[in-house]
Amino acid sequence: VDPTTGKPDESKSVYESIVTIEYIDAVSKATGKDRLIADDPFLAARARIWADKVNRECCSTYYGVLVRKDEKERRENFKNLIKGLENFSGQLE
């Protein structure tokens, strides 16, 4: 969406979760608590690290549970998904 006109602009695309979040913060000109990523550099870095970890340890393994045909592979991905979720939930404040 073109931020000035509000109309879709299909000539541009932004993907990858953290990149999209940063793009939304930039085009919305959000500040303070309205931002999706903190203004504080340490908190912003921590959010980027965890977004990457969740993508690798939860999203990818969940996808493996959904698409793998071999039951052993599905179980291994499920085990890794649970481990990733436990790791993430242990970091929540």
Side-chain angles (χ1 to χ4, degrees), residues 21-93:
I21 290 169
E22 290 173 342
Y23 176 77
I24 291 168
D25 275 346
V27 298
S28 70
K29 298 185 180 22
T31 59
K33 292 194 181 264
D34 291 334
R35 291 180 52 82
L36 299 171
I37 298 288
D39 285 323
D40 178 272
F42 174 76
L43 294 176
R46 190 167 177 217
R48 287 181 189 92
I49 290 167
W50 275 101
D52 181 60
K53 284 180 72 66
V54 166
N55 188 44
R56 281 185 287 112
E57 296 177 11
C58 299
C59 298
S60 294
T61 55
Y62 178 64
Y63 183 74
V65 171
L66 293 177
V67 301
R68 296 289 180 208
K69 302 279 189 225
D70 181 73
E71 188 63 27
K72 185 178 178 184
E73 288 180 4
R74 291 179 73 211
R75 287 185 186 276
E76 185 65 25
N77 276 287
F78 186 75
K79 184 180 91 180
N80 290 333
L81 171 61
I82 296 301
K83 194 184 318 180
L85 290 170
E86 288 171 344
N87 189 14
F88 177 65
S89 66
Q91 294 295 314
L92 296 175
E93 296 176 16

